[in-house]
Amino acid sequence: RADLEREIDLIEEVARIHGYEKIVENRPIPVTTAPRGRRERVEDAIREALTAMGIDEAVTFSLVEDALAAPVTAEAAEVQPLRVSHSSRKRENALRRSLIPSLLAVRRHNEAHGVADARVFEIADVYIPREEGTMPAEPPRLAVVAGLDFRGLKGIVETLLRSLLVAEPLSAEPASLPMFTEGRAATLSLGDVRLGWMGEVDAARRDAFDLRNECSACELDLGVLLEKARTVAQYRPLPSYPAVVRDLSLVLDRNVAWAELAAVVRDAAGPTFRQTDYLDTFRGGNLPDDKQSVHFALTFRG
């Protein structure tokens, strides 16, 4: 038979000779549920934590117009985004390199329809160009946009990490990022591993998106969260004695960052030290122009 080109052609011929009427029609097909992988479990935990904080999930397109293809970092801005050539994609033909611009567009849409403070997040891949002739990197990211200041959004990130049972401490180092206000942006790390970026969205960027209200945004490397998150809670016995909390106010140079002070406190506080919490910073009044008073709380437990 010269017309037999595929395996199924031969199977159909055998079935015809054997007789279609002899083939059993009611044979049960086994169906089993596939176990959820680690990424699915961690993503579900992220969704549960963020929605519990009043943040809604958004789903946006990977193909965007040029205004939404802007990256977070200056290094990524030096490389042009990947594009597709198709008659149905004349404007939205760039593959996004960050989720934040798409979420800013979602916030703009909500503002235009009477929702002044839409808090949204998205979990999706971004597309980072590499050398010509090679496939782009497609790292998974988590982004959050909300009408909060820097400290408010950082608190959301810290709460998320606690819900994921991440053991490594979160640190924020000041950074200059084109999407954020100068002096109000930071690079986030877990130990020595970079987690992502966050900051208050620059006024010029907000104007470009026709946003009326101030907001902050962060973008985290989902791959790092997948590695660091613990999906099974670990048992620890309850403490036998109540904690002791003491507040301190220290007058420091203005260029001393909270991260530096917190590191010194952790090293000097002794074996019963459990955590330090930033409270506020006072400047002006009787203090010299180059000084600041930092107020924080120390928690001790035996």
Side-chain angles (χ1 to χ4, degrees):
R1 292 289 300 276
D3 59 339
L4 297 184
E5 298 178 352
R6 303 170 300 165
E7 181 182 3
I8 191 61
D9 295 334
L10 180 58
I11 293 172
E12 290 177 351
E13 189 66 15
V14 172
R16 185 184 65 79
I17 295 173
H18 176 69
Y20 292 133
E21 72 282 356
K22 298 178 183 178
I23 298 176
V24 179
E25 297 180 359
N26 60 351
R27 178 171 295 175
I29 301 175
V31 177
T32 59
T33 57
R36 294 189 307 160
R38 177 172 177 79
R39 175 167 178 171
E40 291 175 302
R41 296 196 304 273
V42 173
E43 286 184 358
D44 285 347
I46 291 172
R47 290 185 175 97
E48 182 176 351
L50 292 178
T51 52
M53 288 185 273
I55 307 173
D56 297 314
E57 184 172 10
V59 178
T60 59
F61 292 109
S62 296
L63 285 168
V64 296
E65 57 186 78
D66 286 346
L68 302 185
V72 176
T73 63
E75 295 83 3
E78 297 176 358
V79 181
Q80 291 298 314
L82 295 169
R83 300 183 184 277
V84 298
S85 297
H86 197 280
S87 58
S88 65
R89 290 289 177 183
K90 294 182 179 179
R91 290 186 56 195
E92 297 87 1
N93 64 353
L95 285 166
R96 61 185 174 185
R97 295 170 287 174
S98 169
L99 303 179
I100 292 177
S102 296
L103 294 184
L104 292 177
V106 171
R107 185 174 171 86
R108 173 185 61 196
H109 179 83
N110 278 268
E111 283 187 352
H113 289 79
V115 182
D117 184 20
R119 300 183 178 187
V120 291
F121 75 93
E122 183 172 12
I123 300 172
D125 294 343
V126 297
Y127 304 88
I128 309 301
R130 293 194 285 202
E131 297 135 12
E132 188 173 352
T134 61
M135 297 296 291
E138 301 180 26
R141 298 279 173 83
L142 163 66
V144 179
V145 169
L148 301 169
D149 61 11
F150 181 90
R151 284 185 291 177
L153 187 59
K154 185 169 181 282
I156 286 177
V157 175
E158 291 169 340
T159 303
L160 172 64
L161 295 177
R162 283 197 297 270
S163 70
L164 296 177
L165 306 177
V166 175
E168 287 82 352
L170 175 70
S171 61
E173 295 294 331
S176 180
L177 302 170
M179 190 170 291
F180 303 123
T181 303
E182 189 66 31
R184 306 296 293 175
T187 299
L188 303 177
S189 300
L190 290 175
D192 297 329
V193 179
R194 176 177 290 182
L195 176 62
W197 307 269
M198 67 169 293
E200 296 179 5
V201 179
D202 182 68
R205 184 76 63 176
R206 295 200 312 271
D207 291 342
F209 280 90
D210 294 327
L211 288 168
R212 295 189 294 268
N213 301 314
E214 296 181 357
C215 62
S216 296
C218 71
E219 185 163 285
L220 309 180
D221 188 334
L222 186 62
V224 174
L225 293 179
L226 292 175
E227 177 185 349
K228 302 294 185 180
R230 289 183 290 176
T231 56
V232 178
Q234 303 297 309
Y235 167 77
R236 287 190 301 176
L238 294 173
S240 302
Y241 304 100
V244 175
V245 181
R246 293 290 182 267
D247 288 3
L248 285 180
S249 290
L250 299 180
V251 177
L252 308 167
D253 292 339
R254 281 206 179 195
N255 59 1
V256 175
W258 165 247
E260 299 176 55
L261 175 59
V264 172
V265 169
R266 283 194 298 269
D267 293 339
T272 59
F273 171 75
R274 291 297 174 264
Q275 69 182 48
T276 180
D277 297 302
Y278 170 84
L279 298 177
D280 58 49
T281 299
F282 174 77
R283 295 173 179 172
N286 296 327
L287 294 176
D289 292 341
D290 61 341
K291 298 293 183 179
Q292 62 181 347
S293 175
V294 181
H295 184 202
F296 57 97
L298 299 171
T299 301
F300 299 89
R301 193 190 295 274

